[in-house]
Amino acid sequence: MEEMSMKGIKLRICVPQKGKKNTPIIIPILFHPTLKYLNLESCIHLTDDLLISIVKHCPLLQSLYLRGCYRLTEKSITVVASGLVNLRTLGLESLKCVSIKTMQSFGNIPGGSKLNQIEMRYCTDLNDAAIQTLCTNAPSLTSLSIKSCPLTNESMKSISGSLRNITVLDLQSLQITDEGINAIAYGCQALEYIDLRDCSEISEQGYFSLGELKSLSVMLFRSDQVTDESVSRIIGTDSKLKGIELDNCPLISDQSILRVLKGCKLLQYLSVGGCDTFAAVKIFSYTSTVRTAFRRVYWYNADAYVGDDLIEH
């Protein structure tokens, strides 16, 4: 075991790395009845039976992280979903056993699921029906990460129709189109953070609709469909944006960047990596003399890092 740390009833467990002695380790504290936080990421020896036993002995668990626990199956994940009535945060990243059956289990909790945050990046068995079921059974969700999952516009419609209070949405690398992003823009008005990097099927028109998200604080794009007009419409006249990433967006120009700097009064972070057409001196001059709250601008494939000070590479 590489690391074991405990603070009150919070616990993080890490198993040996590849190449070291990999022997399953059972730690009594895992079965403590007052345990509320448990991180078992990359515990490659974690089995269904052990996880089910943890669930039974730790009914107060509120946060559970299982990323990379590849031996787990639907058997234990359904027990987690239906058996932990106080669960608020669940990390299932990269698990192949996340399916509609798993999502149905959230509907078996007396009084309804209290789940606020779920991470399901790279869950390759996830589908639109599973997302629809999750949205129905866990309507209190405020944060959803489904990066690189095989989902379509139908999932976006389910999210916009049921998760009205969602504030964080990670949609990176999904094959959704304008139809899907329009559903999100008009149905998820509380959204504060959205990641649309590498969503290659969204057109310029699709990005226009994001101007409807008046509470948006952070947006992340990486697309050859983002234009100066897209940026202008999203910012509008009263933007609350604090962080913007426009890396490798070849159709935006100095005009967009200066529009961002002038229109986003709360802006603290801007990344324009790979966009080497910008005038570094012009932007540095603006940020250093006008924007006292501004933290930094990043870009690579250019000659400078621009922020509170100018550093030559």
Side-chain angles (χ1 to χ4, degrees):
M1 183 173 64
E2 284 191 329
E3 175 190 352
M4 173 178 150
S5 61
M6 183 174 181
K7 181 179 180 182
I9 51 177
K10 293 183 178 181
L11 181 68
R12 178 181 175 86
I13 302 293
C14 297
V15 299
Q17 293 179 347
K18 186 177 180 179
K20 297 183 179 181
K21 186 178 180 181
N22 286 323
T23 303
I25 300 174
I26 307 300
I27 303 173
I29 194 64
L30 287 176
F31 304 102
H32 198 287
T34 62
L35 197 66
K36 291 186 178 181
Y37 174 99
L38 184 58
N39 189 328
L40 294 169
E41 291 183 354
S42 300
C43 287
I44 59 176
H45 294 289
L46 184 65
T47 63
D48 285 337
D49 290 342
L50 177 54
L51 182 56
I52 291 171
S53 184
I54 291 172
V55 170
K56 291 180 178 179
H57 286 86
C58 304
L60 300 183
L61 268 177
Q62 296 181 5
S63 299
L64 179 62
Y65 298 89
L66 301 170
R67 176 176 64 88
C69 297
Y70 299 115
R71 296 182 66 179
L72 299 179
T73 70
E74 283 183 343
K75 176 184 176 182
S76 59
I77 302 302
T78 53
V79 172
V80 167
S82 60
L84 294 175
V85 298
N86 296 297
L87 196 63
R88 302 293 194 277
T89 302
L90 180 60
L92 301 174
E93 183 176 343
S94 301
L95 298 189
K96 296 184 181 301
C97 56
V98 180
S99 63
I100 187 170
K101 183 178 179 180
T102 310
M103 301 300 105
Q104 288 171 339
S105 300
F106 286 109
N108 298 329
I109 297 177
S113 172
K114 299 177 182 177
L115 194 67
N116 297 135
Q117 177 180 348
I118 187 166
E119 300 174 0
M120 299 187 291
R121 305 179 190 93
Y122 307 108
C123 290
T124 54
D125 285 347
L126 201 62
N127 58 30
D128 291 329
I131 291 296
Q132 181 182 25
T133 303
L134 172 67
C135 293
T136 300
N137 292 336
S140 60
L141 274 175
T142 58
S143 178
L144 176 62
S145 178
I146 44 179
K147 172 184 177 181
S148 297
C149 294
L151 304 173
T152 72
N153 293 331
E154 294 306 309
S155 289
M156 303 304 104
K157 294 175 184 178
S158 298
I159 293 169
S160 65
S162 300
L163 305 183
R164 296 290 182 171
N165 296 318
I166 196 161
T167 58
V168 176
L169 199 49
D170 179 1
L171 305 176
Q172 186 175 352
S173 301
L174 296 193
Q175 296 303 304
I176 57 175
T177 66
D178 293 356
E179 181 183 8
I181 201 59
N182 286 340
I184 295 297
Y186 290 98
C188 303
Q189 289 293 298
L191 204 61
E192 298 176 4
Y193 175 106
I194 189 166
D195 188 343
L196 292 172
R197 289 175 293 180
D198 301 319
C199 293
S200 57
E201 301 301 316
I202 300 175
S203 74
E204 179 187 36
Q205 296 294 321
Y207 287 105
F208 288 171
S209 65
L210 296 179
E212 299 297 322
L213 297 172
K214 305 303 181 184
S215 297
L216 200 61
S217 178
V218 177
M219 64 179 192
L220 309 178
F221 300 152
R222 182 163 56 226
S223 170
D224 59 7
Q225 297 298 315
V226 177
T227 65
D228 288 340
E229 182 65 18
S230 303
V231 173
S232 179
R233 293 204 186 191
I234 293 170
I235 293 172
T237 57
D238 186 27
S239 176
K240 294 181 173 62
L241 283 166
K242 295 181 180 179
I244 303 175
E245 184 172 309
L246 296 168
D247 291 355
N248 294 306
C249 294
L251 298 183
I252 61 173
S253 66
D254 285 356
Q255 176 184 340
S256 282
I257 303 308
L258 293 176
R259 175 77 175 84
V260 166
L261 295 173
K262 292 177 181 179
C264 301
K265 304 301 183 184
L266 303 178
L267 193 67
Q268 297 180 8
Y269 168 81
L270 172 64
S271 179
V272 286
C275 303
D276 52 6
T277 62
F278 305 129
V281 175
K282 181 192 299 183
I283 296 176
F284 168 68
S285 176
Y286 186 84
T287 59
S288 61
T289 59
V290 180
R291 299 301 311 286
T292 56
F294 199 79
R295 295 291 183 270
R296 57 181 60 87
V297 177
Y298 286 122
W299 68 76
Y300 46 86
N301 296 340
D303 296 327
Y305 156 94
V306 181
D308 293 331
D309 49 15
L310 186 64
I311 303 174
E312 298 293 340
H313 287 297

